[in-house]
Amino acid sequence: MKFFIDTANLAQIKEAQALGVLDGVTTNPSLMAKEGIKGEANIKKHYVDICNIVDGDVSAEVISTDYEGMIREGKELAALHPQIVVKVPIIKEGIKAIKYFSDNGIRTNCTLVFSQGQALLAAKAGATYVSPFIGRLDDNSTDGVELIGKIVDMYHFYGFETQVLAASIRHTMHIIRCVEMGADVATCPLDAILGLLNHPLTDIGLAKFLADYKKVNG
Ligand code: G3P
């Protein structure tokens, strides 16, 4: 499973990249706003800065909701850097735009996906990634991870090549459950990735190894 980090924070992206296990980055307009990145030129520069830190795919989201606007924006974003994947919402115009991008060699991440039907349309249109938001489903009394499993099964059954990118991951256990469901990618906050390291027996074991070494070596 690939690990993406879900942030526009350059320090966090650098920290995750330094671990050596990072496969890419996802952003969205809320995450960009959280970092205070505003204005078209600054936003585009920020995407390029992110691409220059990581080796893998970097999702950059369109703001337009009409077909022509999405195509124009998507082409501009894709031209910024070869690692850019154009993020498009699962709306009627978005599906048409994803089909256009897919036919014209521009990779896409279909976002704001909350149902199997939406994921079916995204795959039919040729999306590179589909992003079901599992945390937001959980927030609404619906099992987000279960949806990941259903989409994975559906794509395998029909042979769709669209990769399932589990998004809106809130904690470490979400990552583990997504692994169990066979997600292709999990895009996570840094804390959730680092949380995978945690185990008290590791801490206790390491303390004992170091203490025993010190006993005989001083
Ligand atoms: O990748 C989508 C993600 O940024 C949404 O996360 O926590 O706002 O639901 P959240």
Side-chain angles (χ1 to χ4, degrees):
M1 187 177 71
K2 287 190 272 188
F3 269 126
F4 289 179
I5 187 167
D6 192 29
T7 184
N9 182 288
L10 297 184
Q12 289 190 12
I13 293 168
K14 282 178 190 160
E15 188 175 340
Q17 174 69 16
L19 280 175
V21 298
L22 191 67
D23 300 298
V25 178
T26 51
T27 63
N28 62 41
S30 303
L31 293 171
M32 295 293 272
K34 192 173 161 192
E35 300 307 317
I37 315 298
K38 57 183 176 185
E40 200 179 316
N42 288 330
I43 289 171
K44 284 181 174 167
K45 180 185 175 305
H46 202 75
Y47 287 139
V48 174
D49 288 346
I50 294 173
C51 290
N52 288 333
I53 296 170
V54 300
D55 300 319
D57 291 345
V58 175
S59 288
E61 189 157 343
V62 299
I63 303 301
S64 304
T65 53
D66 63 298
Y67 176 75
E68 285 76 18
M70 286 181 179
I71 300 300
R72 179 188 49 76
E73 262 191 79
K75 282 179 174 172
E76 286 174 11
L77 290 169
L80 289 175
H81 198 282
Q83 286 167 240
I84 293 283
V85 174
V86 179
K87 209 170 178 187
V88 181
I90 179 74
I91 55 176
K92 195 169 162 188
E93 299 295 284
I95 282 297
K96 292 194 297 194
I98 288 169
K99 175 71 174 128
Y100 173 89
F101 291 136
S102 159
D103 288 345
N104 288 276
I106 292 177
R107 294 175 309 137
T108 53
N109 176 354
C110 183
T111 190
L112 287 168
V113 167
F114 294 94
S115 75
Q116 205 174 349
Q118 291 176 325
L120 175 61
L121 282 176
K124 293 279 293 178
T128 312
Y129 297 102
V130 66
S131 288
F133 277 30
I134 64 175
R136 292 190 195 184
L137 280 168
D138 288 359
D139 292 343
N140 285 277
S141 310
T142 303
D143 188 343
V145 173
E146 191 180 294
L147 176 63
I148 297 291
K150 284 183 179 170
I151 297 172
V152 167
D153 289 348
M154 175 174 70
Y155 284 4
H156 286 172
F157 185 83
Y158 288 106
F160 287 122
E161 289 179 6
T162 302
Q163 295 177 57
V164 181
L165 192 169
S168 184
I169 282 180
R170 301 278 173 75
H171 50 73
T172 302
M173 201 55 207
H174 266 156
I175 303 177
I176 300 301
R177 292 200 61 216
C178 284
V179 168
E180 290 166 357
M181 291 295 172
D184 299 289
V185 190
T187 189
C188 322
L190 181 60
D191 284 353
I193 298 174
L194 295 178
L196 292 168
L197 289 166
N198 295 345
H199 202 290
L201 291 178
T202 302
D203 301 336
I204 292 166
L206 182 59
K208 176 141 178 47
F209 286 157
L210 295 180
D212 288 345
Y213 176 88
K214 204 171 169 190
K215 263 187 233 162
V216 293
N217 292 281

